[in-house]
Amino acid sequence: MFCQRLSSLVLVLGALRIANGALTKRVACADGVHTATNAACCALFPIVDLLESEFFDGGECGEEVHESLRLTFHDAIGFSPSLGGGGADGSIMIFEDVETAFHANGGIDDIVDAQKSFIQEHNITISPGDFIQLAGAVGVSNCPGAPRLDFFLGRPAPKAASPDLLVPEPFDSVTKILARFKDAGFSPNEVVALLASHSIAAADLVDPTIPGTPFDSTPGIFDSQFFVETQLKGTLFPGTAGNEGEVMSPLRGEIRLQSDAELARDPRTACEWQSFVNNHAKMQTEFKAAMLKLSLLGQNKRQLVDCSEVVPVPRAVTNKPHLPAGSSLRDVERACASSPFPVLTADPGPATSVAPVPPS
């Protein structure tokens, strides 16, 4: 009896191994270098190589990465079950004259034009919606500490421009921002997760007098400094203009959006915001999940092909969350009523300035 059961178990395990092997069988790509779980993904490897070598300056986490990530959001969030819009369909590229004229899309025309030129120069044939999301995922992979984002292939061409007023603005109230995201299918926690993108971002037009101004002190690293520094008391530095959507920032050379400052302190989002301060793994996981959801807005996932394997694996980061030099925990504006702010140490030395992100 024991031998019969053991024999049956061996047969079952063998069948499982065969089935698993069939599921993970890879196909050889025509380039003779890569393999893929789906042959459709093979065409993406040369596009990824071109993006890395030419578009992203050999793998830098710089201005083109920041702007490409921003474009994934501005294209995808143009979606509403009641008001229309195709979501992550590339409409911002095909109907550029319409959508880049929206106030909330100010300055997005530069990266749209850069990507359009790149597509034409290299005769890239994937849809504009696919290219925007692929470029964003590949770009983020250049930023140490980032998660490896998912990418699905097969979005159809856009049919129409997105309606105006679907992209949140930095001067919108928290209530208005959360309502807009709820309409698109996102919870308050997912809104906070998406804002981890500001850890590798900079502003050009919020205050045109200081282009390339980052949102935190480490714009080339995907880390929690953005969530730390938005919790600090702001300082009005000489010469700051106080432009629409801009509020006082804790560091010279750093910009703070009004919406970020308020979301960091609103009871609906403050505890989730604070939870990212000293939990890098959570920040990675939640950002990756929210970005996948964003990239599929308006799309039927079952009709797309999972080609996430073409996205490079980002480098790890050893940075620890810290307070900027010259500050202490007394400078933190605590906002989460249910949990104390994590104990962090400050960098040694006097307060320093944050350098602008150089233009591409």
Side-chain angles (χ1 to χ4, degrees):
M1 180 67 72
F2 175 76
C3 290
Q4 289 177 337
R5 289 179 179 175
L6 180 60
S7 177
S8 298
L9 179 60
V10 169
L11 289 172
V12 169
L13 290 175
L16 286 173
R17 281 195 293 269
I18 293 171
N20 187 57
L23 288 173
T24 58
K25 184 178 180 180
R26 302 180 67 80
V27 297
C29 297
D31 61 7
V33 176
H34 298 97
T35 63
T37 54
N38 190 304
C41 302
C42 287
L44 299 177
F45 287 109
I47 300 175
V48 171
D49 290 342
L50 285 168
L51 281 168
E52 289 286 65
S53 61
E54 298 187 20
F55 200 76
F56 295 129
D57 298 322
E60 292 293 321
C61 181
E63 176 71 2
E64 296 294 351
V65 169
H66 303 161
E67 291 302 305
S68 293
L69 178 55
R70 181 183 179 221
L71 184 58
T72 65
F73 173 75
H74 282 251
D75 182 50
I77 201 63
F79 167 81
S80 168
S82 58
L83 300 175
D89 63 351
S91 65
I92 200 169
M93 185 176 288
I94 299 303
F95 302 99
E96 178 185 6
D97 291 345
V98 176
E99 293 195 34
T100 61
F102 298 162
H103 185 272
N105 288 337
I108 206 77
D109 54 316
D110 288 343
I111 189 62
V112 170
D113 290 342
Q115 289 195 6
K116 284 177 69 173
S117 296
F118 185 86
I119 289 170
Q120 293 166 1
E121 178 184 353
H122 297 287
N123 195 29
I124 293 171
T125 57
I126 63 175
S127 72
D130 281 345
F131 184 83
I132 288 172
Q133 296 302 323
L134 178 64
V138 172
V140 169
S141 75
N142 293 328
C143 303
R148 186 189 197 188
L149 297 183
D150 297 298
F151 172 73
F152 281 72
L153 175 71
R155 294 167 183 78
K159 297 178 179 179
S162 167
D164 197 1
L165 306 179
L166 294 183
V167 181
E169 302 244 36
F171 51 79
D172 288 343
S173 68
V174 172
T175 296
K176 184 175 181 179
I177 290 170
L178 295 183
R180 169 76 274 272
F181 274 100
K182 182 179 180 180
D183 179 54
F186 290 86
S187 69
N189 283 358
E190 289 173 322
V191 174
V192 175
L194 285 173
L195 285 170
S197 61
H198 284 185
S199 72
I200 47 172
D204 287 327
L205 295 182
V206 174
D207 187 340
T209 66
I210 47 172
T213 306
F215 295 126
D216 77 354
S217 59
T218 55
I221 302 174
F222 186 89
D223 61 9
S224 64
Q225 283 307 116
F226 166 72
F227 292 98
V228 174
E229 291 163 20
T230 47
Q231 287 289 164
L232 300 178
K233 298 172 185 176
T235 302
L236 184 61
F237 296 110
T240 53
N243 288 271
E244 186 178 42
E246 176 192 3
V247 297
M248 295 183 295
S249 181
L251 296 174
R252 187 184 299 274
E254 181 178 295
I255 198 168
R256 177 184 288 177
L257 298 183
Q258 174 185 317
S259 52
D260 288 342
E262 293 180 357
L263 283 160
R265 291 158 177 78
D266 191 277
R268 291 166 287 186
T269 47
C271 290
E272 185 69 7
W273 194 283
Q274 181 178 288
S275 74
F276 289 158
V277 165
N278 62 344
N279 194 335
H280 187 256
K282 178 184 178 183
M283 186 175 74
Q284 287 180 314
T285 299
E286 298 300 325
F287 177 67
K288 178 173 181 171
M291 282 297 296
L292 174 59
K293 187 172 181 177
L294 180 78
S295 74
L296 295 175
L297 279 180
Q299 306 302 313
N300 185 342
K301 184 179 178 182
R302 289 173 295 181
Q303 296 179 358
L304 304 180
V305 178
D306 186 352
C307 292
S308 303
E309 63 190 317
V310 308
V311 178
V313 178
R315 288 170 288 159
V317 68
T318 57
N319 288 36
K320 300 295 183 183
H322 58 273
L323 298 170
S327 62
S328 71
L329 286 172
R330 292 190 298 273
D331 297 309
V332 175
E333 291 185 306
R334 294 169 172 82
C336 176
S338 62
S339 179
F341 192 83
V343 175
L344 304 178
T345 58
D347 281 349
T352 58
S353 296
V354 180
V357 175
S360 57

